[in-house]
Amino acid sequence: MWMQLLFALATAALSSLFTLGLAWWFFDRHVKGPLQDHIDQQIDEAIEELGATIEQRVRQGVRAGVASIPSTEVLADTTRNVARTGADLVGLGLATLLGGPKDRR
């Protein structure tokens, strides 16, 4: 009786392994290749579509950045103020180092 049960279990296990191997072979041979080709095609289409969208958004960003640049008068005034502030800082630093005239406040 135990021998018959063991033989039945071994037969079932071998049958399951054979079925699993056959299913794996069928999938690998007939399903995996076309599925991989389809996935590659979908990825290529997505890259083309996203590439155009990204390019369009970058162009819009550059246009908006160029449009937001201040006028030449504002840039000239800002440059003068920065230069004047820098000169004042250098002058005060040199006066401190060289012992120049002291404020009488």
Side-chain angles (χ1 to χ4, degrees), residues 45-61:
E45 289 175 7
I47 287 173
E48 288 177 15
E49 186 176 323
L50 286 175
T53 303
I54 290 172
E55 182 179 349
Q56 179 184 6
R57 289 185 181 177
V58 167
R59 285 180 190 215
Q60 288 175 348

Side-chain angles (χ1 to χ4, degrees), residues 14-75:
L14 288 173
S15 175
S16 295
L17 287 174
F18 179 73
T19 304
L20 184 62
L22 187 64
W24 176 80
W25 175 81
F26 181 78
F27 176 79
D28 192 49
R29 180 74 87 149
H30 297 288
V31 177
K32 186 178 178 183
L35 184 62
Q36 186 66 37
D37 293 341
H38 179 71
I39 290 173
D40 290 343
Q41 180 185 4
Q42 293 294 324
I43 289 173
D44 290 341
E45 289 175 7
I47 287 173
E48 288 177 15
E49 186 176 323
L50 286 175
T53 303
I54 290 172
E55 182 179 349
Q56 179 184 6
R57 289 185 181 177
V58 167
R59 285 180 190 215
Q60 288 175 348
V62 169
R63 286 183 188 142
V66 169
S68 69
I69 292 176
S71 67
T72 55
E73 294 98 18
V74 172
L75 288 175

